[in-house]
Amino acid sequence: MENQKTEEQAAFKRLLDIMDTLRAECPWDKKQTFDTLRPLTIEELYELTDALLVENLDEIKKELGDLMLHLVFYAKIGEEKNAFNITDVLNGICDKLIHRHPHIYSDTVVKDEKEVRQNWEKLKLKEGKESVLEGVPNSLPAVVKAYRIQEKVSGVGFDWDNTEQVYAKVLEELEELDVEVKKPDNKTLIEMEYGDLLFSLINYGRFIGVNPENALEKTNQKFIKRFQIMEKLMKTDNKIMSDMNLEDMDVYWETAKKSD
């Protein structure tokens, strides 16, 4: 274990040394700023999530390295601005983790994971946060944001008691949407009710242990795979999709589904 820690420290120092060299000598690295790195970081993060979704361990390792480079890069720029350095970053997260885990580092007693999350949110409010939802980034994709909002308010006790209540809410929102859809010239209210339905479905996913973002992306990938197989089958039969009706296409679709 001690040898492993020594190797980890040496590897991290090696990355820091390389970052110093690149920042001093590489024309591209010298020009980077917080602003120019931001879109690249977002891209790297999505590449990591793609690898995580399919549990490609080699790609996960590779993408973690790319993301680690970005974290070190931001810390280096912060150091140049005399604002913070990598030591400040690491000590900051260490201090926060210790403070927010009093059931590990102090005498607080918790009975389960739910109480851990509740204590986490309460501690954040004591730290000066004005709202439980203050830490939810505005730029999060809507599905992820809804899930995080629901998790956070649940952490302070604002939640349904059981899955059956949430499912009933889904049905209620579906009925309300159906009522608005049947009215003429009603786009604004239809959109509102549709959003309410999605929000309740996301909440239901949380209650049954399904992450909606992951579930939807897996369905996206499944659809893409099937559709592309269907295209290949049609091409093999010298069929042109735009010349076919839905009934004919559905025959190929059912064949493509069997490939799963």
Side-chain angles (χ1 to χ4, degrees):
M1 181 65 72
E2 192 62 37
N3 286 340
Q4 180 180 338
K5 285 188 176 181
T6 300
E7 290 176 359
E8 291 168 352
Q9 292 166 354
F12 191 59
K13 181 180 182 302
R14 183 184 179 204
L15 177 59
L16 294 177
D17 290 342
I18 290 172
M19 184 73 259
D20 288 343
T21 300
L22 295 179
R23 189 65 173 169
E25 300 179 15
C26 174
W28 185 87
D29 288 279
K30 288 165 68 174
K31 292 181 63 176
Q32 300 314 303
T33 65
F34 287 147
D35 189 54
T36 62
L37 283 176
R38 180 179 179 273
L40 301 177
T41 305
I42 293 172
E43 181 180 342
E44 294 294 353
L45 186 56
Y46 275 107
E47 289 178 356
L48 172 60
T49 61
D50 284 348
L52 290 168
L53 200 62
V54 296
E55 295 189 26
N56 185 326
L57 298 182
D58 286 338
E59 283 299 306
I60 291 172
K61 179 181 69 172
K62 171 188 167 187
E63 298 304 338
L64 282 173
D66 291 343
L67 195 56
M68 184 70 72
L69 170 62
H70 279 241
L71 300 180
V72 167
F73 212 146
Y74 287 121
K76 180 63 179 177
I77 296 173
E79 181 179 1
E80 293 168 355
K81 292 178 177 293
N82 294 317
F84 58 84
N85 58 30
I86 192 66
T87 303
D88 299 324
V89 172
L90 295 176
N91 281 332
I93 186 59
C94 288
D95 292 343
K96 182 165 73 171
L97 287 172
I98 291 170
H99 175 66
R100 292 189 183 173
H101 289 79
H103 54 289
I104 302 296
Y105 296 101
S106 187
D107 55 2
T108 299
V109 177
V110 295
K111 64 180 181 181
D112 54 25
E113 175 264 348
K114 183 177 181 181
E115 285 194 1
V116 172
R117 288 190 293 109
Q118 290 174 342
N119 284 342
W120 182 281
E121 296 301 337
K122 290 175 184 177
L123 285 167
K124 288 175 70 175
L125 291 175
K126 289 180 180 179
E127 291 168 5
K129 301 286 187 183
E130 295 184 1
S131 169
V132 170
L133 301 178
E134 194 173 308
V136 180
N138 289 327
S139 57
L140 274 181
V143 172
V144 179
K145 182 187 287 188
Y147 192 78
R148 289 296 292 137
I149 287 170
Q150 293 162 3
E151 279 190 322
K152 284 184 170 293
V153 299
S154 173
V156 292
F158 190 76
D159 206 355
W160 299 94
D161 293 325
N162 55 61
T163 304
E164 289 73 24
Q165 291 175 328
V166 185
Y167 185 68
K169 183 64 176 175
V170 171
L171 296 179
E172 176 188 323
E173 295 296 351
L174 184 59
E175 290 177 4
E176 291 179 2
L177 173 61
D178 186 55
V179 169
E180 298 303 332
V181 167
K182 292 175 180 176
K183 296 178 182 178
D185 301 323
N186 200 30
K187 184 176 180 180
T188 299
L189 286 177
I190 290 173
E191 184 180 58
M192 182 181 74
E193 294 299 342
Y194 186 76
D196 290 347
L197 175 60
L198 288 177
F199 194 84
S200 62
L201 277 170
I202 290 167
N203 210 18
Y204 184 63
R206 183 172 62 88
F207 266 77
I208 62 175
V210 174
N211 183 292
E213 175 69 21
N214 291 346
L216 181 57
E217 181 54 26
K218 287 177 181 178
T219 295
N220 288 340
Q221 294 301 321
K222 180 173 64 177
F223 183 90
I224 290 170
K225 177 185 175 184
R226 289 176 177 176
F227 193 85
Q228 291 176 339
I229 290 173
M230 183 179 72
E231 289 176 311
K232 290 178 181 178
L233 292 171
M234 290 177 179
K235 187 175 181 181
T236 300
D237 289 346
N238 295 315
K239 300 285 188 178
I240 299 175
M241 188 179 297
S242 58
D243 293 338
M244 301 172 66
N245 59 38
L246 183 58
E247 184 178 352
D248 291 335
M249 285 190 284
D250 196 50
V251 173
Y252 286 92
W253 178 256
E254 290 300 321
T255 303
K257 285 171 63 177
K258 295 175 183 178
S259 66
D260 290 347

